[in-house]
Amino acid sequence: MLKSLFNWRVLLNVLLAIVVFVGLVWLTFRWLEYHTKHGQETPVPNVVNKSVYDAVKILEDTGLDYEVDSATYDPKYRPFQVLKMSPSAGSRVKDGRAIQLRVNPRTWAPVAIPDVINKYSGLAFQRINQVGLKIGDTIFEPSIQKDAILRVLFKGNAVKPGTLIPRFSTIDVVVGSGPMRNISIPNVVGLTVKEARGVIARSMFEVGLVEHEDGSKDESDIIYYQDPASGDVRDQGMQIDLWASKKTPAELNAKIEQLNSIYRMKVDTSLPPVRYEEAHNYPAPQEAAPVVQVPVHKTEPVKTEPKPAATKPAASTTEKPKPSASTNTANTGSSNKSTTPTNTPQQPAQKPKAKKVVVE
């Protein structure tokens, strides 16, 4: 077996295989050097802070390719100014290598207007600020949707949600100020249902019940009755009911009279006006405590006889003799019972004493 391995024919074949293998490897590397342009490198020129048009021209003259990418707009730099490049300036690259350029755009990137229609103004303003837009004028317009966003204006024109506009642009908003009070209701009798809807909508009212005489829903039917009546004052946003028919109002007098008896209240002005008085808030009456009867002992009041007033004797021309002392002494007891001395002041009459109540 060893003799067969060292046979000159076997050795020749092995040698030829090695030569072929080495040759293939050498040719492969030579092809790679040619294809990758090994050793043929070009220095990258510095195009930072140059205009993108000048940078592209310099790279093309150098034999290099380029790719332009826009960065976030920065107002500190000029529009279309090269802010960054990769590979960096001074690097050596092969011919045809693409150089990445970051360029400052001309203005802010566009943003979409958020959908804030019919939304509360406080939340809508926050949403608008979050996307990078500014709110200019706030225009109030009568509407039943109080404090709701009705329209969005950009440069005086109404725009729909989703419209792309430059970031940090100023937009105006139309906000509902609430319904107006005591507005005269328009007259839509004689108009078609379609025309009446437009008139009612322009007056900031709403269409309520629409009753067709024949039961159809033909918008070309003529309005022959409405409630409330034209000329009445209502707040905006109230509903107006309509009755429509293919006949004219003149042909439906009986139907109109019937509806008047239902929806038109007649007020009798011959009666005197009712006078209303203000009611006072009196305290609620408290329940009386039960009365307990107790025996009462009555005491008779002390009767006092009023003393007769002293009378002064009339003066006489003849002087009467003075009574003797013995006579005065004897009559003292009897005179004191009936008369009062003139020098003693008269006592006032005593008032009856109050009754004493004794509770057992």
Side-chain angles (χ1 to χ4, degrees), residues 42-62:
T42 304
V44 178
N46 186 8
V47 294
V48 177
N49 296 330
K50 295 183 179 295
S51 172
V52 65
Y53 306 107
D54 298 338
V56 168
K57 185 177 181 181
I58 294 173
L59 293 176
E60 288 179 348
D61 295 340
T62 312

Side-chain angles (χ1 to χ4, degrees), residues 136-192:
D137 296 334
T138 302
I139 304 170
F140 289 93
E141 182 178 288
S143 174
I144 60 175
Q145 295 176 305
K146 188 176 182 180
D147 296 332
I149 303 297
L150 303 179
R151 292 187 303 278
V152 177
L153 306 178
F154 179 63
K155 295 182 179 180
N157 299 322
V159 291
K160 297 180 179 180
T163 304
L164 295 177
I165 60 175
R167 192 178 183 184
F168 298 114
S169 298
T170 302
I171 60 176
D172 303 328
V173 292
V174 180
V175 182
S177 61
M180 297 180 65
R181 307 294 181 183
N182 299 329
I183 302 301
S184 178
I185 292 180
N187 184 15
V188 295
V189 175
L191 303 178
T192 62

Side-chain angles (χ1 to χ4, degrees), residues 71-79 81 83 104-108:
T72 303
Y73 177 73
D74 193 343
K76 296 186 297 182
Y77 301 101
R78 301 187 309 272
Q81 179 181 353
L83 303 179
N104 189 37
R106 181 174 56 183
T107 183
W108 295 102

